[in-house]
Amino acid sequence: MWDFTSPRKVIFGEDALEFLSEKTFKHAFIVTDPVMRKLHLSLVEEQLKAAETKITIFDEILGEPSLQVVEKGAKQLAQAHPDVIIALGGGSVMDSAKGMWPMWASPEDGMDAIEGLNPFAELKLREKTGCILINIPTTSGTGSDVTWGTVLTDKSSDTERKASFGNRELVADITILDPILTKTLPPHLIAGTGLDALSHAVGGYLSTWANDFSDALLLHAFKLLWRNIPVAYQQAKAGEVEYEVREKLHNAATMSGWGFGNSQIILGHALGHTIGAAWKIPHSQCIGASCLYSLMYNRNAVSERIADLARGVGLEDGSNEELTENLIAAFKKLLIELELPVSLQDMGVSKEEYDSNIEAVIDFSLNDSGTLSNPRRVDYEDYVKIYNSFFNGEEIDF
Ligand SMILES: NC(=O)c1ccc[n+]([C@@H]2O[C@H](COP(=O)([O-])OP(=O)(O)OC[C@H]3O[C@@H](n4cnc5c(N)ncnc54)[C@H](O)[C@@H]3O)[C@@H](O)[C@H]2O)c1
Ligand SMILES: [Fe+2]
Protein backbone atom coordinates (compact mmCIF):
# COMPACT_ATOMS: atom_id res chain seq x y z
CA MET A 1 0.00 0.00 0.00
CA TRP A 2 1.19 3.47 -0.86
CA ASP A 3 -0.27 6.91 -0.33
CA PHE A 4 0.17 10.31 -1.92
CA THR A 5 -0.19 13.29 0.40
CA SER A 6 -1.07 16.77 -0.81
CA PRO A 7 -2.15 20.08 0.66
CA ARG A 8 -5.88 20.71 0.53
CA LYS A 9 -5.45 23.72 -1.72
CA VAL A 10 -2.78 25.21 -3.95
CA ILE A 11 -3.62 28.86 -4.65
CA PHE A 12 -1.50 30.14 -7.53
CA GLY A 13 -1.04 32.91 -10.05
CA GLU A 14 -1.51 36.66 -10.04
CA ASP A 15 -2.99 38.12 -6.84
CA ALA A 16 -2.94 34.73 -5.11
CA LEU A 17 -2.29 36.52 -1.79
CA GLU A 18 -5.84 37.92 -1.92
CA PHE A 19 -6.99 34.49 -0.75
CA LEU A 20 -6.01 35.63 2.77
CA SER A 21 -8.52 38.48 2.75
CA GLU A 22 -11.35 36.12 1.82
CA LYS A 23 -10.89 33.93 4.89
CA THR A 24 -12.05 34.55 8.40
CA PHE A 25 -9.15 33.62 10.62
CA LYS A 26 -9.18 35.05 14.14
CA HIS A 27 -5.48 35.15 14.84
CA ALA A 28 -2.56 34.57 12.46
CA PHE A 29 0.92 33.72 13.74
CA ILE A 30 3.34 34.73 10.99
CA VAL A 31 6.73 33.00 10.92
CA THR A 32 9.23 34.89 8.77
CA ASP A 33 12.79 36.21 8.58
CA PRO A 34 14.21 39.73 8.85
CA VAL A 35 14.61 40.11 5.06
CA MET A 36 11.01 39.12 4.34
CA ARG A 37 9.82 41.36 7.13
CA LYS A 38 11.31 44.27 5.24
CA LEU A 39 10.45 43.20 1.70
CA HIS A 40 7.07 41.48 1.65
CA LEU A 41 5.41 41.20 5.06
CA SER A 42 3.26 44.28 4.41
CA LEU A 43 1.61 42.54 1.43
CA VAL A 44 0.44 39.72 3.69
CA GLU A 45 -0.53 42.02 6.55
CA GLU A 46 -2.64 44.11 4.20
CA GLN A 47 -4.72 41.08 3.20
CA LEU A 48 -5.13 39.84 6.79
CA LYS A 49 -6.13 43.28 8.04
CA ALA A 50 -8.82 43.46 5.37
CA ALA A 51 -10.33 40.37 7.01
CA GLU A 52 -9.79 41.83 10.52
CA THR A 53 -7.42 39.02 11.50
CA LYS A 54 -5.23 39.64 14.54
CA ILE A 55 -1.52 39.26 13.74
CA THR A 56 1.48 38.08 15.78
CA ILE A 57 4.91 38.01 14.13
CA PHE A 58 7.95 35.83 14.82
CA ASP A 59 10.73 37.04 12.52
CA GLU A 60 13.86 35.49 13.99
CA ILE A 61 14.49 32.75 11.44
CA LEU A 62 17.95 32.74 9.87
CA GLY A 63 19.26 30.61 6.99
CA GLU A 64 19.61 26.84 7.53
CA PRO A 65 17.53 27.03 10.74
CA SER A 66 18.42 25.36 14.01
CA LEU A 67 16.43 23.21 16.41
CA GLN A 68 17.21 25.88 18.95
CA VAL A 69 15.41 28.75 17.13
CA VAL A 70 12.47 26.46 16.48
CA GLU A 71 12.20 25.78 20.21
CA LYS A 72 12.07 29.53 20.89
CA GLY A 73 9.40 30.07 18.23
CA ALA A 74 7.31 27.16 19.56
CA LYS A 75 7.10 28.83 22.98
CA GLN A 76 5.82 32.06 21.45
CA LEU A 77 3.41 30.10 19.30
CA ALA A 78 1.97 28.41 22.38
CA GLN A 79 1.50 31.79 24.08
CA ALA A 80 -0.20 33.31 21.04
CA HIS A 81 -2.45 30.28 20.42
CA PRO A 82 -3.42 31.29 16.84
CA ASP A 83 -5.88 29.51 14.56
CA VAL A 84 -3.54 29.81 11.58
CA ILE A 85 0.25 29.64 11.25
CA ILE A 86 1.48 31.46 8.16
CA ALA A 87 5.04 30.76 7.05
CA LEU A 88 6.25 33.55 4.77
CA GLY A 89 9.71 32.95 3.36
CA GLY A 90 12.04 30.42 1.84
CA GLY A 91 12.65 26.85 2.98
CA SER A 92 14.31 28.03 6.19
CA VAL A 93 11.15 29.79 7.33
CA MET A 94 8.74 27.07 6.23
CA ASP A 95 10.84 24.28 7.80
CA SER A 96 10.98 26.25 11.05
CA ALA A 97 7.21 26.67 11.15
CA LYS A 98 6.85 22.94 10.45
CA GLY A 99 9.12 22.25 13.43
CA MET A 100 7.37 24.67 15.80
CA TRP A 101 3.93 23.21 15.32
CA PRO A 102 4.56 19.71 16.80
CA MET A 103 6.56 21.31 19.63
CA TRP A 104 3.58 23.49 20.47
CA ALA A 105 1.22 20.51 20.26
CA SER A 106 3.33 18.33 22.59
CA PRO A 107 5.29 20.62 24.93
CA GLU A 108 5.89 17.75 27.34
CA ASP A 109 8.10 16.04 24.71
CA GLY A 110 10.61 18.93 24.38
CA MET A 111 13.06 18.35 21.49
CA ASP A 112 11.67 14.84 21.07
CA ALA A 113 8.56 16.41 19.55
CA ILE A 114 10.79 17.00 16.50
CA GLU A 115 13.64 14.50 16.84
CA GLY A 116 11.16 11.72 17.48
CA LEU A 117 9.04 12.57 14.44
CA ASN A 118 8.46 9.64 12.16
CA PRO A 119 6.22 9.10 9.16
CA PHE A 120 3.83 6.83 11.06
CA ALA A 121 3.27 8.72 14.33
CA GLU A 122 -0.21 10.08 14.96
CA LEU A 123 0.44 13.64 16.10
CA LYS A 124 -3.13 15.00 15.98
CA LEU A 125 -1.66 18.46 15.33
CA ARG A 126 -4.87 20.02 14.09
CA GLU A 127 -7.05 18.52 16.82
CA LYS A 128 -4.65 19.43 19.63
CA THR A 129 -3.98 23.02 18.54
CA GLY A 130 -7.14 24.00 16.66
CA CYS A 131 -4.84 25.53 14.07
CA ILE A 132 -3.89 25.05 10.41
CA LEU A 133 -0.74 25.79 8.40
CA ILE A 134 -0.50 28.04 5.36
CA ASN A 135 2.80 28.25 3.51
CA ILE A 136 3.73 31.20 1.32
CA PRO A 137 7.07 30.43 -0.35
CA THR A 138 9.23 33.37 -1.44
CA THR A 139 11.96 31.35 -3.15
CA SER A 140 11.26 29.05 -6.10
CA GLY A 141 13.25 26.18 -4.73
CA THR A 142 12.70 23.94 -1.76
CA GLY A 143 9.12 22.79 -2.29
CA SER A 144 8.91 22.72 1.51
CA ASP A 145 5.49 24.35 1.12
CA VAL A 146 4.07 20.94 0.12
CA THR A 147 6.44 18.37 1.60
CA TRP A 148 6.09 16.59 4.92
CA GLY A 149 9.74 16.97 5.86
CA THR A 150 11.52 19.65 7.81
CA VAL A 151 15.29 20.02 7.56
CA LEU A 152 16.81 21.40 10.74
CA THR A 153 20.34 21.72 12.05
CA ASP A 154 21.37 20.69 15.53
CA LYS A 155 23.88 23.34 16.56
CA SER A 156 24.56 21.85 19.98
CA SER A 157 27.76 19.96 19.01
CA ASP A 158 31.03 20.82 17.21
CA THR A 159 30.28 19.09 13.91
CA GLU A 160 26.83 20.49 13.18
CA ARG A 161 24.36 17.95 11.95
CA LYS A 162 21.58 18.70 9.52
CA ALA A 163 18.77 16.17 9.53
CA SER A 164 15.33 15.72 8.02
CA PHE A 165 12.38 14.93 10.24
CA GLY A 166 9.00 14.12 8.85
CA ASN A 167 5.38 13.29 9.33
CA ARG A 168 2.53 13.57 6.85
CA GLU A 169 0.59 15.87 9.21
CA LEU A 170 3.23 18.52 8.53
CA VAL A 171 2.00 18.91 4.95
CA ALA A 172 0.44 22.37 4.87
CA ASP A 173 -3.30 22.76 4.54
CA ILE A 174 -2.86 25.49 1.96
CA THR A 175 0.04 26.77 -0.09
CA ILE A 176 -0.10 30.16 -1.76
CA LEU A 177 2.11 30.71 -4.81
CA ASP A 178 2.12 34.39 -5.66
CA PRO A 179 4.86 35.29 -8.19
CA ILE A 180 4.95 38.87 -6.93
CA LEU A 181 7.05 37.62 -4.02
CA THR A 182 9.92 36.34 -6.15
CA LYS A 183 10.43 39.61 -7.99
CA THR A 184 13.09 40.57 -5.45
CA LEU A 185 15.22 37.42 -5.71
CA PRO A 186 18.80 38.24 -6.70
CA PRO A 187 20.42 36.23 -9.55
CA HIS A 188 22.50 33.94 -7.29
CA LEU A 189 19.37 32.90 -5.34
CA ILE A 190 17.39 32.31 -8.53
CA ALA A 191 20.18 30.03 -9.68
CA GLY A 192 20.78 28.24 -6.38
CA THR A 193 17.18 27.75 -5.29
CA GLY A 194 16.24 26.82 -8.87
CA LEU A 195 18.90 24.12 -8.82
CA ASP A 196 17.47 22.86 -5.53
CA ALA A 197 14.11 22.38 -7.24
CA LEU A 198 15.81 20.78 -10.24
CA SER A 199 17.65 18.38 -7.90
CA HIS A 200 14.34 17.44 -6.30
CA ALA A 201 12.95 16.59 -9.73
CA VAL A 202 16.01 14.46 -10.53
CA GLY A 203 16.13 12.80 -7.11
CA GLY A 204 12.41 12.15 -6.91
CA TYR A 205 12.37 10.68 -10.41
CA LEU A 206 15.38 8.39 -9.86
CA SER A 207 14.45 7.34 -6.33
CA THR A 208 13.61 3.73 -5.58
CA TRP A 209 10.29 5.04 -4.23
CA ALA A 210 9.27 6.77 -7.47
CA ASN A 211 5.70 6.02 -8.53
CA ASP A 212 3.28 6.94 -11.33
CA PHE A 213 1.96 10.00 -9.49
CA SER A 214 5.33 11.47 -8.58
CA ASP A 215 6.69 10.73 -12.08
CA ALA A 216 3.96 12.84 -13.68
CA LEU A 217 4.77 15.90 -11.56
CA LEU A 218 8.52 15.51 -11.66
CA LEU A 219 8.97 15.11 -15.41
CA HIS A 220 7.01 18.27 -16.11
CA ALA A 221 8.68 20.18 -13.29
CA PHE A 222 12.10 19.16 -14.62
CA LYS A 223 11.20 20.50 -18.05
CA LEU A 224 9.87 23.83 -16.74
CA LEU A 225 12.87 24.35 -14.49
CA TRP A 226 15.47 23.37 -17.09
CA ARG A 227 13.98 25.80 -19.58
CA ASN A 228 13.30 28.74 -17.26
CA ILE A 229 16.17 28.84 -14.72
CA PRO A 230 18.84 30.08 -17.18
CA VAL A 231 16.37 32.59 -18.67
CA ALA A 232 15.47 33.93 -15.23
CA TYR A 233 19.12 34.12 -14.23
CA GLN A 234 20.12 36.15 -17.28
CA GLN A 235 17.07 38.41 -16.99
CA ALA A 236 17.74 39.03 -13.28
CA LYS A 237 21.33 39.98 -14.07
CA ALA A 238 20.05 42.44 -16.65
CA GLY A 239 17.43 43.97 -14.30
CA GLU A 240 14.09 42.21 -13.85
CA VAL A 241 12.68 38.76 -14.57
CA GLU A 242 9.49 38.62 -16.65
CA TYR A 243 6.30 37.68 -14.81
CA GLU A 244 5.65 34.52 -16.90
CA VAL A 245 9.13 33.16 -16.22
CA ARG A 246 8.79 33.73 -12.47
CA GLU A 247 5.37 32.13 -12.45
CA LYS A 248 6.63 29.00 -14.24
CA LEU A 249 9.55 28.66 -11.82
CA HIS A 250 7.38 29.17 -8.76
CA ASN A 251 4.83 26.57 -9.88
CA ALA A 252 7.55 24.12 -10.93
CA ALA A 253 9.37 24.32 -7.59
CA THR A 254 6.17 23.36 -5.79
CA MET A 255 5.44 20.57 -8.31
CA SER A 256 8.93 19.25 -7.68
CA GLY A 257 8.35 19.30 -3.92
CA TRP A 258 5.00 17.61 -4.39
CA GLY A 259 6.63 14.87 -6.42
CA PHE A 260 9.75 14.18 -4.39
CA GLY A 261 7.80 14.55 -1.14
CA ASN A 262 5.81 11.53 -2.28
CA SER A 263 8.78 9.54 -3.59
CA GLN A 264 12.10 10.47 -1.97
CA ILE A 265 15.34 12.26 -2.61
CA ILE A 266 18.58 10.37 -3.25
CA LEU A 267 22.36 10.61 -2.99
CA GLY A 268 22.45 14.25 -4.14
CA HIS A 269 20.58 15.37 -1.05
CA ALA A 270 22.51 13.01 1.26
CA LEU A 271 25.63 14.84 0.03
CA GLY A 272 24.02 18.29 0.08
CA HIS A 273 22.57 18.03 3.59
CA THR A 274 25.84 16.80 5.04
CA ILE A 275 28.28 19.21 3.44
CA GLY A 276 25.89 22.09 4.05
CA ALA A 277 25.96 21.46 7.78
CA ALA A 278 29.62 20.43 8.11
CA TRP A 279 31.11 23.32 6.15
CA LYS A 280 28.30 25.86 6.57
CA ILE A 281 27.36 26.10 2.90
CA PRO A 282 23.78 27.23 2.15
CA HIS A 283 21.67 24.45 0.65
CA SER A 284 21.08 26.45 -2.52
CA GLN A 285 24.80 26.88 -3.12
CA CYS A 286 25.83 23.23 -2.73
CA ILE A 287 22.86 21.22 -3.99
CA GLY A 288 23.46 21.72 -7.73
CA ALA A 289 26.95 20.21 -7.65
CA SER A 290 25.77 17.49 -5.24
CA CYS A 291 23.14 16.54 -7.82
CA LEU A 292 25.78 16.38 -10.56
CA TYR A 293 27.82 13.87 -8.52
CA SER A 294 24.69 11.88 -7.80
CA LEU A 295 23.92 11.69 -11.53
CA MET A 296 27.45 10.48 -12.24
CA TYR A 297 27.37 7.85 -9.50
CA ASN A 298 23.95 6.54 -10.57
CA ARG A 299 24.52 6.77 -14.33
CA ASN A 300 24.81 2.99 -14.96
CA ALA A 301 22.17 1.92 -12.44
CA VAL A 302 19.32 4.00 -13.90
CA SER A 303 20.35 5.18 -17.35
CA GLU A 304 16.87 4.45 -18.67
CA ARG A 305 15.34 6.90 -16.16
CA ILE A 306 18.05 9.53 -16.66
CA ALA A 307 17.42 9.23 -20.41
CA ASP A 308 13.72 10.04 -19.81
CA LEU A 309 14.77 13.32 -18.20
CA ALA A 310 17.14 14.06 -21.08
CA ARG A 311 14.46 13.37 -23.69
CA GLY A 312 12.03 15.58 -21.76
CA VAL A 313 14.28 18.59 -22.26
CA GLY A 314 14.95 17.81 -25.91
CA LEU A 315 18.54 16.57 -25.71
CA GLU A 316 19.72 14.87 -28.87
CA ASP A 317 18.32 11.38 -29.17
CA GLY A 318 20.48 8.27 -28.90
CA SER A 319 20.82 5.21 -26.70
CA ASN A 320 19.92 5.51 -23.02
CA GLU A 321 23.61 5.54 -22.20
CA GLU A 322 24.35 8.33 -24.70
CA LEU A 323 21.45 10.42 -23.44
CA THR A 324 22.64 9.93 -19.86
CA GLU A 325 26.10 11.17 -20.77
CA ASN A 326 24.58 14.13 -22.65
CA LEU A 327 22.47 15.10 -19.64
CA ILE A 328 25.43 14.89 -17.25
CA ALA A 329 27.51 17.08 -19.58
CA ALA A 330 24.64 19.57 -20.00
CA PHE A 331 24.05 19.64 -16.22
CA LYS A 332 27.69 20.58 -15.61
CA LYS A 333 27.46 23.25 -18.30
CA LEU A 334 24.34 24.63 -16.63
CA LEU A 335 26.11 24.95 -13.26
CA ILE A 336 28.94 26.86 -14.93
CA GLU A 337 26.53 29.10 -16.85
CA LEU A 338 24.78 29.92 -13.56
CA GLU A 339 28.12 30.61 -11.87
CA LEU A 340 27.52 27.91 -9.28
CA PRO A 341 30.35 25.85 -7.74
CA VAL A 342 31.10 22.40 -9.17
CA SER A 343 33.45 21.06 -6.48
CA LEU A 344 33.95 21.27 -2.73
CA GLN A 345 37.08 23.33 -3.36
CA ASP A 346 35.00 25.78 -5.39
CA MET A 347 32.74 26.10 -2.32
CA GLY A 348 35.75 27.19 -0.28
CA VAL A 349 36.40 23.94 1.62
CA SER A 350 40.14 23.73 2.36
CA LYS A 351 42.17 20.48 2.40
CA GLU A 352 42.60 20.81 6.18
CA GLU A 353 38.86 21.25 6.75
CA TYR A 354 38.17 18.34 4.42
CA ASP A 355 40.63 15.97 6.12
CA SER A 356 39.52 16.83 9.63
CA ASN A 357 35.78 16.39 8.95
CA ILE A 358 35.46 13.77 6.26
CA GLU A 359 34.88 10.75 8.53
CA ALA A 360 32.00 12.42 10.36
CA VAL A 361 30.69 13.71 7.03
CA ILE A 362 30.58 10.19 5.56
CA ASP A 363 28.98 8.86 8.70
CA PHE A 364 26.19 11.49 8.52
CA SER A 365 25.72 10.86 4.78
CA LEU A 366 25.31 7.12 5.38
CA ASN A 367 22.54 7.92 7.85
CA ASP A 368 20.75 10.43 5.62
CA SER A 369 17.44 9.23 4.19
CA GLY A 370 18.75 10.07 0.69
CA THR A 371 21.20 7.14 0.97
CA LEU A 372 18.40 4.71 1.72
CA SER A 373 16.35 5.47 -1.39
CA ASN A 374 19.27 5.89 -3.79
CA PRO A 375 18.87 3.61 -6.80
CA ARG A 376 22.45 2.31 -6.48
CA ARG A 377 23.53 1.06 -3.06
CA VAL A 378 26.08 3.38 -1.48
CA ASP A 379 28.50 2.05 1.15
CA TYR A 380 31.33 3.59 3.15
CA GLU A 381 34.03 2.81 0.55
CA ASP A 382 31.93 4.33 -2.24
CA TYR A 383 31.40 7.49 -0.17
CA VAL A 384 35.17 7.82 0.32
CA LYS A 385 35.61 7.80 -3.48
CA ILE A 386 32.60 10.03 -4.18
CA TYR A 387 33.76 12.68 -1.72
CA ASN A 388 37.29 12.52 -3.05
CA SER A 389 36.05 13.21 -6.59
CA PHE A 390 33.68 15.90 -5.31
CA PHE A 391 36.48 17.66 -3.44
CA ASN A 392 38.73 17.76 -6.50
CA GLY A 393 36.01 18.34 -9.10
CA GLU A 394 36.80 15.04 -10.87
CA GLU A 395 34.61 12.61 -12.82
CA ILE A 396 33.11 9.64 -10.99
CA ASP A 397 34.01 6.64 -13.12
CA PHE A 398 33.43 3.56 -10.97
N1 LIG B 1 11.56 20.63 3.81
C1 LIG B 1 11.96 20.39 2.60
O1 LIG B 1 11.31 19.65 1.89
C2 LIG B 1 13.20 21.08 2.09
C3 LIG B 1 13.63 20.83 0.78
C4 LIG B 1 14.79 21.47 0.34
C5 LIG B 1 15.49 22.34 1.17
N2 LIG B 1 15.06 22.54 2.44
C6 LIG B 1 15.77 23.45 3.37
O2 LIG B 1 15.39 24.80 3.10
C7 LIG B 1 16.46 25.69 3.50
C8 LIG B 1 16.84 26.62 2.36
O3 LIG B 1 15.73 27.34 1.91
P1 LIG B 1 15.87 28.38 0.70
O4 LIG B 1 16.83 27.85 -0.29
O5 LIG B 1 14.50 28.70 0.25
O6 LIG B 1 16.59 29.63 1.34
P2 LIG B 1 16.31 30.45 2.70
O7 LIG B 1 14.93 30.30 3.16
O8 LIG B 1 17.42 30.09 3.65
O9 LIG B 1 16.54 31.92 2.17
C9 LIG B 1 17.82 32.33 1.66
C10 LIG B 1 17.92 33.85 1.69
O10 LIG B 1 17.05 34.38 0.70
C11 LIG B 1 16.24 35.40 1.24
N3 LIG B 1 15.01 35.45 0.48
C12 LIG B 1 13.97 34.58 0.50
N4 LIG B 1 13.03 34.96 -0.38
C13 LIG B 1 13.47 36.08 -0.98
C14 LIG B 1 12.91 36.96 -1.95
N5 LIG B 1 11.75 36.72 -2.52
N6 LIG B 1 13.64 38.06 -2.29
C15 LIG B 1 14.85 38.32 -1.74
N7 LIG B 1 15.43 37.50 -0.82
C16 LIG B 1 14.75 36.41 -0.44
C17 LIG B 1 16.07 35.00 2.69
O11 LIG B 1 15.71 36.08 3.49
C18 LIG B 1 17.45 34.46 3.01
O12 LIG B 1 18.31 35.52 3.33
C19 LIG B 1 17.63 24.80 3.87
O13 LIG B 1 17.70 24.67 5.27
C20 LIG B 1 17.27 23.47 3.22
O14 LIG B 1 17.88 22.36 3.84
C21 LIG B 1 13.92 21.94 2.90
FE1 LIG C 1 16.64 20.44 -1.42
Side-chain angles (χ1 to χ4, degrees), residues 181-252:
L181 299 167
T182 60
K183 213 172 166 177
T184 48
L185 279 173
H188 79 280
L189 279 180
I190 290 179
T193 57
L195 257 290
D196 189 18
L198 198 68
S199 308
H200 296 154
V202 172
Y205 192 71
L206 303 185
S207 154
T208 52
W209 293 16
N211 54 76
D212 289 339
F213 299 92
S214 58
D215 281 359
L217 286 162
L218 295 167
L219 276 178
H220 190 56
F222 186 76
K223 204 161 140 179
L224 290 178
L225 292 160
W226 188 270
R227 194 181 291 154
N228 287 292
I229 294 169
V231 176
Y233 183 67
Q234 294 307 337
Q235 289 186 349
K237 281 180 80 171
E240 194 176 300
V241 186
E242 284 172 78
Y243 175 85
E244 287 72 20
V245 174
R246 278 187 284 115
E247 185 179 39
K248 291 289 178 208
L249 284 180
H250 218 37
N251 292 346

Side-chain angles (χ1 to χ4, degrees), residues 209-347:
W209 293 16
N211 54 76
D212 289 339
F213 299 92
S214 58
D215 281 359
L217 286 162
L218 295 167
L219 276 178
H220 190 56
F222 186 76
K223 204 161 140 179
L224 290 178
L225 292 160
W226 188 270
R227 194 181 291 154
N228 287 292
I229 294 169
V231 176
Y233 183 67
Q234 294 307 337
Q235 289 186 349
K237 281 180 80 171
E240 194 176 300
V241 186
E242 284 172 78
Y243 175 85
E244 287 72 20
V245 174
R246 278 187 284 115
E247 185 179 39
K248 291 289 178 208
L249 284 180
H250 218 37
N251 292 346
T254 292
M255 288 166 66
S256 239
W258 215 342
F260 96 79
N262 284 289
S263 55
Q264 255 297 334
I265 24 106
I266 57 169
L267 174 71
H269 269 73
L271 297 172
H273 287 158
T274 316
I275 63 178
W279 292 304
K280 302 199 174 29
I281 308 162
H283 190 66
S284 59
Q285 297 307 299
C286 61
I287 196 61
S290 302
C291 184
L292 172 66
Y293 282 85
S294 159
L295 277 170
M296 288 197 271
Y297 180 76
N298 287 311
R299 58 168 37 122
N300 296 326
V302 277
S303 61
E304 198 181 316
R305 301 280 287 176
I306 300 177
D308 287 344
L309 295 170
R311 274 187 210 100
V313 295
L315 291 190
E316 220 169 277
D317 214 349
S319 66
N320 288 340
E321 289 69 25
E322 283 163 345
L323 280 162
T324 296
E325 293 313 313
N326 288 348
L327 188 74
I328 290 171
F331 201 98
K332 188 168 181 186
K333 217 168 122 214
L334 178 66
L335 292 180
I336 293 166
E337 188 185 334
L338 299 174
E339 299 172 82
L340 285 166
V342 288
S343 71
L344 289 176
Q345 290 191 57
D346 286 351
M347 293 173 204

Side-chain angles (χ1 to χ4, degrees), residues 63-67 91-92 95 142 150-155 157 159-165 196 269-287 364-365 367-369:
E64 321 296 308
S66 64
L67 286 167
S92 296
D95 281 0
T142 69
T150 167
V151 188
L152 298 167
T153 303
D154 184 355
K155 301 205 169 170
S157 69
T159 304
E160 292 186 0
R161 178 175 187 178
K162 191 166 184 175
S164 320
F165 310 97
D196 189 18
H269 269 73
L271 297 172
H273 287 158
T274 316
I275 63 178
W279 292 304
K280 302 199 174 29
I281 308 162
H283 190 66
S284 59
Q285 297 307 299
C286 61
I287 196 61
F364 288 159
S365 300
N367 286 306
D368 191 279
S369 59

Side-chain angles (χ1 to χ4, degrees), residues 41 101 107 127 168 174 238 269 309 339 349 354:
L41 180 65
W101 199 12
E127 292 92 319
R168 290 186 189 268
I174 296 161
H269 269 73
L309 295 170
E339 299 172 82
V349 180
Y354 180 81

Side-chain angles (χ1 to χ4, degrees), residues 61-138:
I61 309 302
L62 298 176
E64 321 296 308
S66 64
L67 286 167
Q68 290 68 29
V69 80
V70 166
E71 191 178 22
K72 184 171 179 191
K75 286 190 182 132
Q76 296 194 20
L77 186 52
Q79 270 166 8
H81 208 105
D83 58 345
V84 59
I85 303 168
I86 298 180
L88 171 72
S92 296
V93 165
M94 294 185 286
D95 281 0
S96 301
K98 282 154 94 178
M100 288 173 196
W101 199 12
M103 275 194 133
W104 167 28
S106 303
E108 66 286 359
D109 292 343
M111 282 292 183
D112 270 357
I114 300 178
E115 290 177 314
L117 279 177
N118 72 67
F120 310 104
E122 208 178 320
L123 308 177
K124 297 200 161 84
L125 288 181
R126 288 159 184 82
E127 292 92 319
K128 281 186 179 172
T129 61
C131 187
I132 65 161
L133 174 65
I134 298 184
N135 280 325
I136 309 181
T138 60

